[in-house]
Amino acid sequence: MAETAKVQLTYPQKAAAVIVSLGADKASNLYQYMEPEDVETLTLEVARLGMLNSEQTEEVLTEFYQNCMTSKAVTEGGLEYARAVLEKAFGNQTAMALLEKVTKSLKTREFAFLNKADVKSLFSALQNERPQTMALVLSYVDPDKAAGVIEQLEPHRQIKVVEAIATMESASPTAIKTIEAEMERKFSSIITQSNVKVGGIDYVAGIMNNLDRSSEKSIFDGLAEHNAELADEIRKRMFVFEDIITMDDRSVQRFVRDCDPRDLVLALKTANADVSNKLFTNMSARMAESIRDDLEVTTNVRMKDVEDAQQRIVGVIRDLEERNEIVILKGGKDDIIA
């Protein structure tokens, strides 16, 4: 009889397995420290869990124990102390893997209270802060909330905040503690132990995708006056080739007419099935046949050539959007009226 394939448990399933293994009394003690929605989610996972064999249970409990040890070590003495403790307990390789996971999770733990605040409260708390302070705090909230705050700022302040977020790379523990102290009276305070990646161009592109059209244009116009290179880089990250699948058919038909057929051929060399279907179904039959024929004979293409072609197509799309000839859906804020 063939051996049954090993099922990879999700994190919620692993949490449910731990709860089941602890028993009702100990599990109920844990529930006291959890948010109601988390308790509800976990309870549903427990109900759906079914049977786990002894090997799966042992693996989950081992991982849980390692995570507990890691969190305790980081909390007590920081990452360097944690590294020494974990290497002694689990060996160098396991210790590094655990610390990497903890480091990645630090950002979601810091300023977590901000995601429970609404846009109005965030704006009230931040409106009189320096752009650099606003940039740091907004780097820890969801892009749509950050966009909601930025939309309410005066145009010149919008530009400064967006630029500060885009050029931010890391924040020191001292800086974060200082900002948290300033915000403590309105929100909460969380202590951090390590430098973490915040802000950046990709993040600010997400914010810009959630801004209203007038704010977006105003910010780009102002930013381009003194930092055109940064403005261009942000704009490039806002709409990527794969986002074509989110466009309406009429808009796709419009931009395809302005694209160089050679660029379409190169761009489609690495395109996924959804993007390919979207493009082919919005071309004329003759054009689609020609593109497919060229695809078959186009070989040994450099990835850089493909990426350049895709970027030129994105440039066509952005130019048409600026002239209001096509529509790009942004962050759920645009409604199409037929």
Side-chain angles (χ1 to χ4, degrees):
M1 182 176 179
E3 184 178 351
T4 304
K6 186 176 179 180
V7 177
Q8 185 67 36
L9 299 178
T10 64
Y11 282 113
Q13 288 173 330
K14 290 179 180 179
V18 171
I19 290 295
V20 171
S21 300
L22 289 175
D25 290 339
K26 293 179 180 178
S28 63
N29 290 332
L30 281 180
Y31 279 175
Q32 297 175 19
Y33 300 95
M34 298 170 62
E35 297 290 339
E37 57 267 28
D38 293 331
V39 173
E40 182 180 347
T41 300
L42 189 52
T43 301
L44 288 173
E45 289 294 339
V46 170
R48 294 196 291 240
L49 188 60
M51 295 294 294
L52 294 180
N53 59 40
S54 58
E55 181 183 357
Q56 287 176 308
T57 302
E58 184 177 353
E59 286 183 2
V60 170
L61 291 178
T62 298
E63 182 179 352
F64 177 65
Y65 171 70
Q66 291 176 343
N67 288 335
C68 288
M69 284 282 290
T70 304
S71 298
K72 184 173 185 290
V74 170
T75 301
E76 288 183 351
L79 290 176
E80 289 304 318
Y81 172 81
R83 181 177 289 108
V85 171
L86 296 174
E87 285 179 354
K88 186 175 181 180
F90 305 118
N92 182 65
Q93 187 172 354
T94 301
M96 293 303 293
L98 289 169
L99 284 172
E100 183 180 2
K101 184 163 61 173
V102 168
T103 302
K104 288 180 179 178
S105 71
L106 282 174
K107 184 178 186 296
T108 60
R109 288 165 50 192
E110 295 154 355
F111 293 96
F113 56 88
L114 292 176
N115 280 317
K116 295 184 179 180
D118 57 22
V119 171
K120 183 178 180 181
S121 299
L122 282 172
F123 176 73
S124 297
L126 293 172
Q127 59 181 325
N128 296 319
E129 297 289 343
R130 292 163 51 248
Q132 292 78 8
T133 300
M134 295 184 66
L136 177 62
V137 175
L138 292 179
S139 292
Y140 284 92
V141 304
D142 294 333
D144 60 332
K145 287 187 178 180
V149 172
I150 291 173
E151 284 176 359
Q152 300 180 65
L153 299 174
E154 296 177 359
H156 72 281
R157 295 256 292 164
Q158 289 180 331
I159 296 166
K160 289 182 178 180
V161 172
V162 166
E163 185 174 19
I165 296 174
T167 55
M168 187 182 300
E169 292 185 355
S170 65
S172 68
T174 301
I176 293 178
K177 287 178 182 178
T178 300
I179 301 302
E180 286 177 336
E182 292 177 4
M183 307 300 294
E184 184 175 12
R185 64 189 177 86
K186 295 179 180 177
F187 296 107
S188 182
S189 178
I190 299 177
I191 299 174
T192 181
Q193 299 276 354
S194 68
N195 285 9
V196 292
K197 179 77 171 67
V198 293
I201 294 176
D202 287 329
Y203 188 85
V204 84
I207 292 176
M208 298 294 284
N209 271 328
N210 282 277
L211 286 175
D212 60 81
R213 302 285 174 174
S214 59
S215 294
E216 178 198 334
K217 186 178 186 306
S218 174
I219 290 172
F220 270 128
D221 288 347
L223 191 58
E225 288 183 6
H226 70 280
N227 200 334
E229 184 178 349
L230 178 61
D232 185 56
E233 190 61 33
I234 294 172
R235 194 184 293 274
K236 286 179 181 177
R237 309 285 181 92
M238 288 178 61
F239 183 91
V240 296
F241 181 74
E242 288 74 17
D243 292 334
I244 286 171
I245 62 174
T246 67
M247 299 176 65
D248 65 285
D249 289 344
R250 185 177 300 175
S251 294
V252 177
Q253 293 162 15
R254 175 64 188 87
F255 83 74
V256 164
R257 295 204 306 269
D258 284 9
C259 290
D260 185 329
R262 179 62 180 169
D263 282 344
L264 289 171
V265 172
L266 289 172
L268 284 166
K269 289 296 290 185
T270 62
N272 61 44
D274 290 336
V275 174
S276 296
N277 291 336
K278 187 76 171 181
L279 288 170
F280 281 127
T281 56
N282 284 288
M283 297 177 187
S284 66
R286 177 180 296 180
M287 185 177 190
E289 182 180 0
S290 175
I291 296 290
R292 285 193 169 96
D293 289 342
D294 287 345
L295 274 170
E296 289 184 8
V297 299
T298 302
T299 58
N300 299 323
V301 177
R302 294 187 306 172
M303 180 57 70
K304 183 181 185 304
D305 292 335
V306 172
E307 292 173 349
D308 288 347
Q310 291 180 349
Q311 192 57 51
R312 285 192 292 271
I313 292 173
V314 169
V316 170
I317 293 171
R318 293 290 300 182
D319 288 343
L320 288 171
E321 188 211 17
E322 289 180 4
R323 301 204 301 266
N324 294 319
E325 293 188 38
I326 64 173
V327 173
I328 296 176
L329 299 179
K330 299 178 57 181
K333 292 201 170 192
D334 290 316
D335 294 320
I336 304 300
I337 301 175

